[in-house]
Amino acid sequence: MNLHQKPLIILFLVILLLGNTLAGILFGSVPLAFRDILRCLSGQDTTSTASILITTVRIPRVLGGCLAGIGLASAGVILQNVMNNSLASPNTIGVNSGAGFAVMLAMLLFPNQPSAIPASAFTGALLTTLTIFLLSRLADSSRTTIVLAGITVSSFLTAGINAIKLLDTNISINLTSFLMGSLSGLTLSKLMLPAGLIIGAFLLSLVLVRPLNLLGLGDEIAGSLGLPMSQTRFVLLVLSSILAGCVVCYAGLLSFVGLVVPHICRRLFGNDARFLLPCSALLGGSFVLFCDLLGRVLFAPFELPAGILMSFIGGPFFLYLLLKKKGGRRVYA
């Protein structure tokens, strides 16, 4: 892409995110007028049904969707560069499942301590990420090895989630929504801690775009340029775990955002993380908000969780990447 075209694309992504944010507040099972939003935000209306709907339902939901897109898309970019594998993402290598299992375990062991959920999600995501990374290093770093390792670990974690479901029926009441990935029922109080962690991890990852670029070049080149490989990888894996784990703790197992969005942005901006990371965050927020909006509008007054629509979109895209051919042969590395 021409260097002069990049600012225009970035501006378009910003406008797209703002448009999806506004649409997410305006539309739903109960459509609202734009003047209702202006009156609510200006403080002129604080008691009407529209105002209560905007402040307690729509705004937390839109903020949660935007942060979910930022967190998962950014985690996808980081994982793909750190593992030097285009198929790595929080979903495909089992990071989401690890965070989900840890959240379920925390709900079982500490039912009256909701503050333990974000820490559990981060711990589960980090341990799963490190496990997949070590497995891929012990075998080989091809795309199929990482995907198969992720599927294997995810199967164990899914079995653990189902076991917890049988042990505690109170948890299983909300399990279906959690496993599919949904933004319903969010409140600003639930979002405060995850939002702070996601924003902080994202800003720190922007500071580390140069090491991220070097890791994407391969171990030999990065090492020859003086990059401390082990320390840099660990820090970036921690950041990706915070980004993905915090999303899981309030939105459940949203799928394929960290795979689809970075690939689209890589087509637009190339592999330079200085552009790829922030633009993936912008497009990721729009993608999650758009899927959530479709789930609310198309099936009103019923609601289809956003995670289902993401799977419909991301599943075929993942197969395309897995079976993509180059020169008549499949690309495995």
Side-chain angles (χ1 to χ4, degrees):
M1 173 178 289
N2 191 302
L3 185 62
H4 299 292
Q5 293 178 319
K6 289 184 178 180
L8 295 177
I9 299 295
I10 295 173
L11 179 61
F12 170 75
L13 292 177
V14 172
I15 295 174
L16 182 65
L17 180 58
L18 293 176
N20 278 286
T21 300
L22 180 60
I25 298 175
L26 281 173
F27 303 110
S29 56
V30 179
L32 299 173
F34 184 69
R35 64 177 179 273
D36 292 331
I37 299 178
L38 292 179
R39 293 180 61 197
C40 175
L41 296 180
S42 64
Q44 299 178 10
D45 179 13
T46 58
T47 58
S48 69
T49 302
S51 176
I52 295 173
L53 180 61
I54 291 171
T55 55
T56 62
V57 178
R58 296 281 174 87
I59 288 180
R61 186 165 189 152
V62 165
L63 289 175
C66 184
L67 289 168
I70 291 172
L72 294 175
S74 301
V77 172
I78 293 172
L79 290 172
Q80 288 169 16
N81 278 43
V82 169
M83 297 188 175
N84 203 17
N85 189 292
S86 61
L87 293 180
S89 75
N91 178 65
T92 57
I93 69 170
V95 177
N96 281 359
S97 298
F101 172 73
V103 168
M104 297 294 292
L105 191 62
M107 293 171 66
L108 176 66
L109 299 177
F110 312 105
N112 298 320
Q113 298 183 26
S115 59
I117 292 178
S120 301
F122 160 70
T123 302
L126 179 60
L127 291 177
T128 306
T129 303
L130 293 175
T131 300
I132 299 300
F133 180 72
L134 290 175
L135 287 175
S136 67
R137 302 292 288 184
L138 289 174
D140 61 80
S141 57
S142 70
R143 57 171 59 190
T144 50
T145 299
I146 291 180
V147 172
L148 290 174
I151 292 173
T152 302
V153 173
S154 293
S155 66
F156 282 104
L157 295 170
T158 301
I161 290 174
N162 289 327
I164 294 174
K165 173 184 175 181
L166 294 175
L167 290 173
D168 194 332
T169 56
N170 293 326
I171 294 178
S172 65
I173 294 175
N174 298 318
L175 181 62
T176 302
S177 177
F178 178 82
L179 293 178
M180 290 187 295
S182 175
L183 298 172
S184 63
L186 283 180
T187 62
L188 290 177
S189 60
K190 287 183 181 179
L191 281 175
M192 286 184 65
L193 181 58
L197 292 172
I198 291 172
I199 293 172
F202 174 68
L203 293 176
L204 186 55
S205 65
L206 289 177
V207 177
L208 298 175
V209 288
R210 183 180 179 275
L212 200 59
N213 277 333
L214 292 178
L215 286 175
L217 297 175
D219 289 0
E220 292 185 5
I221 297 177
S224 65
L225 294 174
L227 184 70
M229 304 290 292
S230 300
Q231 299 91 324
T232 304
R233 273 206 174 95
F234 182 76
V235 170
L236 289 170
L237 289 176
V238 168
L239 290 177
S240 69
S241 300
I242 293 173
L243 291 165
C246 287
V247 174
V248 170
C249 77
Y250 72 82
L253 306 183
L254 296 174
S255 302
F256 294 109
V257 182
L259 179 70
V260 174
V261 172
H263 274 276
I264 294 174
C265 289
R266 194 171 276 111
R267 289 289 185 92
L268 294 174
F269 298 100
N271 295 318
D272 190 347
R274 293 177 300 171
F275 295 100
L276 181 61
L277 188 61
C279 292
S280 294
L282 290 172
L283 185 59
S286 295
F287 180 62
V288 174
L289 290 176
F290 179 71
C291 289
D292 181 58
L293 181 62
L294 282 183
R296 285 187 284 150
V297 172
L298 294 180
F299 301 93
F302 303 102
E303 179 180 316
L304 189 69
I308 293 180
L309 291 172
M310 292 176 192
S311 296
F312 277 127
I313 297 172
F317 190 86
F318 175 69
L319 289 176
Y320 162 74
L321 292 175
L322 190 63
L323 301 176
K324 185 171 64 173
K325 295 181 179 181
K326 184 175 182 180
R329 296 185 178 182
R330 292 179 183 176
V331 179
Y332 288 114

